[in-house]
Amino acid sequence: MQSVVRSGKKTLLIFVGLLLMVMTMFSGTSFAASQGAVKVITNNKSYTGITADIKLSSNVDVNTGYVNWYLGIGAAKVEAGISRTPIGYKVFLNTGWKESGEQDEYWISSYDSSIEDGDTVNLKLVNNGDDTITMYVNGEVYVNEDGVRYEERPIYDGLAQYEQVKMVMGVEDDGSNSFSEASFSNVQLRANASGSIYKKWDSSISSEFSRYSSYGDDFNVSSQVPLSASLR
């Protein structure tokens, strides 16, 4: 009789274990977030920075993950801009945290309650030429809510003085986020080390447009240079 009970308990435990495994598998596949983006990047490594006005969407729906609008220097090294999460807007600066694994030094971000749907925010990134980056928001060096200045931030493994620059719109979610038309305008490319020369980014600048990852096709692009698009 005891052997029958033990056998029944063992069978029940095996069944519960298999059930948990199946639930975990379905949870991972059904609800995992995916990424996507549309990007325009210059073909020439001729620039020491970039500035643009970003017109945020007037109608944004973020249920999971985030949507973002940002500028970059280098193919993937330095990226900075504005993201929208279910909680609100954030300003972020990435100077190589994926390569370094150190978010405190090479990644800073902070919620900013002053930014709202439909706002136009001026963003500027400057390559200081000494393996540091400075980020300006609306003409001032950005300072987050903790008093951290986005000034002369170190770049992981350095960066050439002259590089490619880019403008990007992205998403990471479960397929539910959306935003109405957002756009970059007055995009200027910093063309020398001192910052005394800027060039307008228009069709005369050699550049390449691309869609990234699984959700790249979910963006409706109305203009590539300067970039203007909506999501889903």
Side-chain angles (χ1 to χ4, degrees), residues 52-229:
D53 293 329
I54 304 177
K55 173 66 174 177
L56 301 175
S57 303
S58 57
N59 186 7
V60 188
D61 186 14
V62 178
N63 300 292
T64 59
Y66 59 80
V67 296
N68 56 19
W69 308 269
Y70 59 94
L71 303 175
I73 302 177
K77 177 75 71 168
V78 174
E79 298 174 333
I82 299 167
S83 65
R84 174 75 146 76
T85 75
I87 299 175
Y89 281 96
K90 299 181 78 173
V91 174
F92 66 90
L93 174 59
N94 165 32
T95 57
W97 75 266
K98 287 186 178 180
E99 296 173 319
S100 66
E102 298 181 30
Q103 291 199 24
D104 290 341
E105 186 170 6
Y106 300 107
W107 168 272
I108 45 176
S109 68
S110 178
Y111 280 100
D112 189 328
S113 60
S114 70
I115 301 175
E116 300 180 348
D117 293 351
D119 282 356
T120 297
V121 181
N122 178 263
L123 221 67
K124 182 167 74 170
L125 279 179
V126 172
N127 180 354
N128 298 312
D130 57 359
D131 295 334
T132 69
I133 289 290
T134 298
M135 178 183 181
Y136 299 82
V137 175
N138 294 330
E140 302 289 340
V141 173
Y142 190 71
V143 182
N144 70 17
E145 59 185 8
D146 296 321
V148 178
R149 295 175 64 84
Y150 289 45
E151 181 178 30
E152 297 182 348
R153 300 295 302 184
I155 303 168
Y156 179 75
D157 205 25
L159 188 70
Q161 172 73 84
Y162 290 87
E163 266 292 355
Q164 296 168 283
V165 292
K166 63 184 179 181
M167 46 187 164
V168 186
M169 297 187 187
V171 61
E172 179 176 289
D173 69 352
D174 60 2
S176 62
N177 295 347
S178 65
F179 62 78
S180 60
E181 194 84 2
S183 60
F184 294 85
S185 63
N186 301 319
V187 187
Q188 302 285 328
L189 309 181
R190 194 173 188 264
N192 66 349
S194 68
S196 62
I197 300 174
Y198 277 83
K199 294 182 178 180
K200 182 180 179 180
W201 192 350
D202 56 23
S203 58
S204 67
I205 302 294
S206 177
S207 57
E208 180 179 350
F209 169 82
S210 62
R211 295 178 183 269
Y212 169 78
S213 195
S214 57
Y215 288 162
D217 290 336
D218 288 354
F219 289 86
N220 301 307
V221 178
S222 56
S223 171
Q224 295 182 9
V225 178
L227 186 59
S228 182

